[in-house]
Amino acid sequence: MTRPRAAIILAAGQGTRMKSALPKVLHPVGGRPLLLWAADVAERLACAPRIAVIGANSPRVEAAARAALGAEGVAVQDPPRGTADAVKAAGAALGAFEGDIAILYGDAPLIRAETVERMFAVRAERGGLVVLGFSAADPTGYGRLILDDEGRVARIVEEKDATAEERATRLCNSGVLVADRGMLFQLLSMVSDANAKMEFYLTDVVGLGRSAGFFTHVVEAEEAEVLGVNSRAELAEAEAAFQARARAAALEAGVTLIDPNTVYFSHDTQIEPDVTIEPNVVFGPGVSVRGGARIRAFSHIEGAEIGPESEIGPFARLRPGARLARKVKIGNFVEVKKSNLGEGVKASHLAYIGDADVGARANIGAGAITCNYDGFDKHRTTIGADVFIGSDTALVAPVTIGDGAYTAAGSVITKDVAPDALAVARGKQSELSGWAEKFRAAKSKPAKGGPE
Ligand code: UD1
Ligand code: CA
């Protein structure tokens, strides 16, 4: 039986290097705030409780943490006095918890649950503490893991406190730590702030543990996995690393990406095998695509369900609440929002379908739009099965078009249309014969007194 697990996510830092009005841990990678990546890992690991340590006066971080972890999953560290002090701040929220704790970071979105799982496994097997190390291409700024002859960690030395020899070590501390609660808090009570930064370093528990007879083991991860975001450049790096991972996963799962590097996924994009995605497609959060669908170039899709064998784009925009059944065709410059489209619906060019229910096989002509908003409220449009909406029809909602009905091109439809009827709502055409010829003749005479 595995021991009970808890997670503490450190997120009390200021994030000043982001130069942003938005708190650092709320900046998104793959469409999800950094903090929620860590919260998700903690959840996948079945950690309970899961506690975020946040700074004072950060209402937005607090709201995000509460939404993800519940009110009991938020602890405030005030003032921030180092990573050891931050972990201590979560003590009360741990309540009566006994078992292993994983310390995660609110600004490190790429850590895999499997990696922390390996750390729990090492702890179960060998006891003591487990830190996550990595071999840094450039170790500047990181704490160094100083190993003993048996490959265990003797201590962690922060860059600012390291000797030249210690700085030459490339094996660095990611910060992620797994330890037993009782052991960890006992060691934390012994940490002092007698160091270069005058902070309480969590990393000191390693050396202190050794003196108390608890050894520290190291699990190694790829550097990309432990990347912490401190600046916009690192945010972009983390995004790139996430995208690379998502593209590889899609290909592995049987999705064709014609030019993988130009397709952008969100953290929760779900794509079934045998979907083809053409170049330059962006998936915002909340998208699922069923098998056999094709997403053509330059489409932007968010919050949408795309049915099997549907064809989207090129240049299509699907917005939240777009739900497309099987074999739906959405062509160029068509926008769909909060609408249900039945099987085989076609909107091939230049249309806006918002707040609508569209029956199977309906055909929406070029330039047709739902007029769903009156400046105050949104209204629904109901289009029956096998309806033909003529080009440039304006459907002024709320309005219902019965099954099998037609609307004539250019109509402004303000009243319901009966099934199988044709609704015509446009000015009658009249003709003035020879008018154009006379007009041209009048215009071709030299203008009197006008400017040249
Ligand atoms: C820390 C580690 C270092 C490691 C590096 C990895 C310590 C002493 N050092 O250094 O060994 O190589 O991370 O990136 O732990 N935080 C709080 N409250 C605080 C201070 C920090 O919540 O009082 C949070 C920050 O928001 C951040 C994380 O803890 O998410 C790390 O803090 P930071 O100051 O960036 O630590 P480093 O100096 O980078
Ligand atoms: Ca840092």
Side-chain angles (χ1 to χ4, degrees):
M1 208 199 94
T2 56
R3 283 162 53 78
R5 298 164 169 187
I8 298 174
I9 301 166
L10 304 190
Q14 300 289 315
T16 45
R17 282 201 277 151
M18 295 296 284
K19 302 195 175 113
S20 177
L22 184 69
K24 175 171 85 172
V25 293
L26 299 186
H27 281 263
V29 161
R32 173 163 66 182
L34 295 173
L35 178 63
L36 301 194
W37 282 88
D40 181 63
V41 166
E43 189 177 343
R44 281 167 196 260
L45 290 163
C47 293
R50 302 186 284 275
I51 302 154
V53 179
I54 67 170
N57 308 317
S58 26
R60 296 168 81 177
V61 177
E62 183 166 352
R66 272 170 181 262
L69 305 165
E72 63 289 351
V74 181
V76 175
Q77 183 199 18
D78 183 23
R81 292 184 302 170
T83 45
D85 180 63
V87 174
K88 271 191 182 171
L94 281 170
F97 173 82
E98 292 294 339
D100 290 341
I101 299 178
I103 310 295
L104 304 170
Y105 291 81
D107 60 0
L110 298 167
I111 181 109
R112 292 177 197 269
E114 303 86 82
T115 302
V116 186
E117 195 66 67
R118 277 199 284 141
M119 297 174 71
F120 280 120
V122 168
R123 216 201 91 68
E125 205 181 293
R126 305 169 71 178
L129 302 115
V130 183
V131 296
L132 186 66
F134 65 102
S135 177
D138 171 12
T140 310
Y142 291 113
R144 311 293 204 278
L145 300 184
I146 310 301
L147 302 185
D148 66 15
D149 295 341
E150 275 144 85
R152 298 173 304 205
V153 187
R155 61 205 173 82
I156 301 180
V157 53
E158 291 305 299
E159 165 116 347
K160 284 194 174 155
D161 303 296
T163 63
E165 193 189 340
E166 288 166 337
R167 279 186 199 179
T169 309
R170 292 221 349 237
L171 186 62
C172 289
N173 175 33
S174 72
V176 179
L177 174 81
V178 167
D180 167 72
R181 182 203 177 154
M183 185 196 299
L184 179 63
F185 278 75
Q186 180 194 329
L187 297 172
L188 284 174
S189 69
M190 292 153 64
V191 171
S192 87
D193 63 354
N195 53 52
K197 284 169 89 180
M198 300 204 322
E199 282 186 4
F200 295 90
Y201 291 165
L202 174 59
T203 46
D204 283 356
V205 299
V206 171
L208 291 166
R210 197 174 177 91
S211 310
F214 305 128
F215 290 104
T216 297
H217 310 285
V218 55
V219 163
E220 278 193 58
E222 293 287 313
E223 182 164 12
E225 200 178 328
V226 300
L227 173 75
V229 173
N230 300 296
S231 62
R232 305 275 181 164
E234 284 168 350
L235 182 68
E237 234 181 279
E239 182 71 42
F242 161 71
Q243 293 298 343
R245 198 184 269 185
R247 289 164 190 150
L251 293 166
E252 176 62 28
V255 176
T256 292
L257 305 179
I258 292 172
D259 186 0
N261 291 333
T262 67
V263 177
Y264 291 83
F265 293 100
S266 275
H267 67 99
D268 60 352
T269 310
Q270 290 177 35
I271 304 191
E272 287 189 351
D274 283 325
V275 166
T276 294
I277 301 171
E278 294 183 4
N280 297 299
V281 170
V282 176
F283 293 99
V287 175
S288 64
V289 186
R290 302 286 307 277
R294 186 176 186 96
I295 314 293
R296 305 197 55 197
F298 296 99
S299 293
H300 191 283
I301 299 167
E302 58 189 321
E305 292 169 25
I306 297 172
E309 298 169 70
S310 290
E311 187 176 321
I312 310 301
F315 299 98
R317 176 152 190 226
L318 301 184
R319 291 173 49 207
R323 289 168 47 194
L324 281 46
R326 179 180 291 272
K327 287 197 174 176
V328 169
K329 183 170 186 294
I330 299 295
N332 42 268
F333 309 110
V334 173
E335 173 178 340
V336 182
K337 184 217 77 169
K338 218 178 192 180
S339 294
N340 301 304
L341 275 52
E343 182 164 345
V345 165
K346 285 196 175 101
S348 298
H349 356 249
L350 298 155
Y352 172 60
I353 305 171
D355 300 295
D357 297 290
V358 184
R361 299 170 303 278
N363 191 315
I364 313 287
I369 58 170
T370 54
C371 309
N372 56 330
Y373 187 48
D374 59 16
F376 295 92
D377 299 304
K378 303 277 167 66
H379 304 281
R380 288 200 81 81
T381 297
T382 304
I383 297 171
D386 301 298
V387 163
F388 185 96
I389 300 293
S391 294
D392 210 19
T393 297
L395 297 156
V396 183
V399 71
T400 296
I401 314 298
D403 289 350
Y406 271 61
T407 66
S411 290
V412 177
I413 302 293
T414 55
K415 290 184 286 200
D416 290 355
V417 178
D420 296 316
L422 165 67
V424 188
R426 62 188 183 209
K428 277 228 156 52
Q429 186 167 331
S430 61
E431 193 167 311
L432 303 177
S433 75
W435 179 92
E437 197 178 17
K438 282 181 214 155
F439 179 72
R440 275 192 297 272
K443 286 292 181 191
S444 65
K445 284 187 188 135
K448 280 180 274 175
E452 259 318 287

